[in-house]
Amino acid sequence: VLYGDLSFVYGRNGPVPQALDLKRRSLAISRRLYGPDHPSVLSVEATMANTYHSLDMSDSALVLMDHCIAGYQRWYEGRSYDLAMYLENRADNHADLEMPIEAIEGARRAIHMIDRDYRFERMGRAASASVLARAYRTLGARDSAWYYVENSIDSMRAILGTERHPNLIMTHLVK
């Protein structure tokens, strides 16, 4: 736990390579204590995957995310908010690797899970819609991209509650 906490501090405040080393230590300890497929281990792997993503190591991030997703599907039978967010994170990695078809598939699955099981959760929906917008833009499907940009803005508006919030003002300037 201590290594994981330190890696979080490093990851948020600068030296991401040190964070990755601490996450590796935390993961090794977690695997020894719980086994390779325990939800606690999967959670550490997911944060490590996010660190890989921060270091532009999307291929390594995808390997860990695939393991996390498979594990969470087994543990929670496809109904877990964390699983929806792991699907969104993997879709984001696919979008960064210019793999729009895979990004669209993952983000749609995440939105479906959120709408089905967590319909009042807007932040995950906004993030997934944003990934869909990026993927459709990569494919050159501007109308679909704008549909999901609007969808993401609507979700953020529901969270922030005002048109005058700086994040919403910036999204309108991008249009």
Side-chain angles (χ1 to χ4, degrees), residues 10 14-24 51 55:
Y10 276 141
V16 176
Q18 288 89 334
L20 186 58
D21 182 52
L22 291 169
K23 283 185 195 317
R24 285 184 181 129
T51 303
L55 293 169

Side-chain angles (χ1 to χ4, degrees), residues 81 85 110-126 154-160:
Y81 182 72
M85 290 301 86
I111 285 177
H112 172 74
M113 287 181 69
I114 291 167
D115 287 348
R116 180 190 68 201
D117 300 328
Y118 310 97
R119 62 188 179 131
F120 297 110
E121 201 303 313
R122 297 283 181 199
M123 188 60 80
R125 192 174 207 304
D154 289 344
S155 293
M156 291 303 293
R157 189 177 295 121
I159 295 166
L160 302 173

Side-chain angles (χ1 to χ4, degrees), residues 14-108:
V16 176
Q18 288 89 334
L20 186 58
D21 182 52
L22 291 169
K23 283 185 195 317
R24 285 184 181 129
R25 290 184 195 180
S26 178
L27 182 58
I29 292 168
S30 295
R31 284 180 175 158
R32 269 197 318 267
L33 290 173
Y34 302 114
D37 291 326
H38 190 274
S40 295
V41 174
L42 298 172
S43 178
V44 173
E45 285 182 345
T47 61
M48 193 166 166
N50 289 336
T51 303
Y52 281 137
H53 184 77
S54 299
L55 293 169
D56 292 326
M57 299 169 66
S58 292
D59 291 331
S60 297
L62 283 174
V63 170
L64 282 177
M65 269 301 150
D66 286 344
H67 184 255
C68 291
I69 289 167
Y72 263 79
Q73 286 174 329
R74 282 191 300 275
W75 273 90
Y76 299 107
E77 298 176 355
R79 291 188 181 268
S80 162
Y81 182 72
D82 287 337
L83 176 57
M85 290 301 86
Y86 296 158
L87 287 168
E88 186 275 324
N89 287 341
R90 183 176 65 179
D92 192 34
N93 278 298
H94 280 128
D96 286 348
L97 291 169
E98 296 187 6
M99 299 169 69
I101 303 302
E102 293 84 349
I104 289 168
E105 177 187 323
R108 281 186 176 164

